[in-house]
Amino acid sequence: MIKSIATTPFPDQRPGTSGLRKKVAEFQRPRYVENFVQSIFDILDVFHGETLVVGGDGRYFNREAIQTVVKIALANGFGRILVGRGGILSTPAASNLIRKHGAFGGVILSASHNPGGPHGDFGIKYNVSNGGPAPEKVTEAIFARTKSISEYRIIDAPDIDLDRLGPTLLGPGEVVVIDPVEEYAELMQKLFDFDKIRALFQSGFRFRFDAMSAVTGPYATRIFEDLLGAPAGTVLNGTPLPDFAGHHPDPNLVHAKHLFDLAMSVDGPDLCAASDGDGDRNLIIGRGLFVTPSDSLALLAANAYLAPGYAKGIVGIARSMPTSRAADQVAARLKIPLFETPTGWKFFGNLLDAGKATICGEESAGTGSNHVREKDGLWAVLLWLNILAARRESVKDIVEKHWAYYGRNYYSRHDYEEVDSDGAHALIEGLRAALPDLKGKTFAGLTIAETDDFAYHDPVDGSDSKHQGIRILFEDGARIVYRLSGTGTSGATLRVYIERFEPDEARQNLETQAALADLIGISRELARIGHFTGREAPSVIT
Ligand code: G1P
Ligand code: ZN
């Protein structure tokens, strides 16, 4: 029943920031999924008879890939495979299941916020037993294995019915199809005050959640409409579709502009929110005000004590290096540590496991806590709802009071997408070489105080990660950061992060791009972006 099949390596199976991510067509090549999945299992420690969690964001090719993963996992000795019904599991729900069931790990099929459909993207990611993404040493070992693999093992069996709940004995083990929402909804009820949020909805509070035709639809409908009593129709685009209805399931101001426009309308909802393809990101827009993810992290950390799950306070905050330093102000006032890590959620896992941080976040719309080991879109929305239910003030009032108290960090990210890869690397190398000479130089009246190429020493496992982004710090505390994306699937994407701190309440109501105009000009001049990328302006501004 178990077959060993000869194969030859693919040279391009290096996992990036969030696992292996490529165009669907590449994954559809014969043996491509098989090789990668077998390589994962080849480098793991003994897992005979153990449990593996498998699920994906429902995008095109999800069902086919799940069948392959399950059959290879059983052939390699896993005893029990937990699969979400229809092959669906949001990334945070998968993380929760791994933890709750004491699973050995999980295989998550997702390309997050990237477009889906036959011409879109696909991805495979391995998560370890704490529920979080595999650390770099594991992903590097997987990559090394993909280069020498010569056979994979798979059980010879008909496909599993992914739509029928319950266990099926298959080959040497069993496959259990589970409700993807249930255990996640239970966890949320432990963390948040559902009675208070229900009362908020009963008071007439108006809320819209856009699931973007991606994985969070069933979770959101169950939690917001069924359990919390929000009116039917609160959840928009709530049915997961393989091509996300042709949209880009990225909850930002470009791809969720309709939500932004709705929130800005005079009679708009009190809160509009969205999540991405696999449910780990969030977008928060109050009536008349978009909350930047960096501000949201700071605000959630400052107000977390209002939710039962965090009533005893938080022990520390972690943010990725390019994320604005708004959270640093909160950590300082709360007298708790602030950890600055490289981009990517995997660096938070150790801090959470070691009990050093409770709340983590990234500027790229990812926020989460120690309840799972992934960022969690619905969790962030629920914490916002809990805070709003407890404070009974508008989003705008809460944010403006926060700025008045802690200061405002004007912040924006400029992305130059799909630029020539050689040019983008030359730009970063050029900056790196120029770093020592930049110190003390003045651009448009602003003097550079410090420069570095960010390196991280993990305080828990002692590992070092180098070259994580070029940082330019100005004397007035403003900051420009440059790095290349690790998640793109064609060409290179240059990300430029621009930030300025404004403690004066009287100057906290400027339009962001205007407040950062001089720094934006400097960011282009200093790195010679036009020269290296051939672009005069970014493709996306968030
Ligand atoms: C991007 C974000 C990063 C996030 C990652 C996965 O990575 O910038 O914060 O963790 O997606 O969602 P990047 O493309 O910048 O490497
Ligand atoms: Zn995602």
Side-chain angles (χ1 to χ4, degrees), residues 17-18 21 112-113 276 280-281 320 323 343-345 362-365 375 413 483-488 493 495 497:
T17 319
S18 311
R21 202 172 285 179
S112 188
H113 50 288
D276 71 330
D280 57 359
R281 295 187 174 200
S320 66
T323 302
T343 297
W345 202 260
E362 294 195 278
E363 51 68 39
S364 52
K375 54 194 177 234
R413 185 177 98 186
R483 61 177 283 279
L484 298 183
S485 157
T487 57
T493 290
R495 302 204 195 282
Y497 310 82

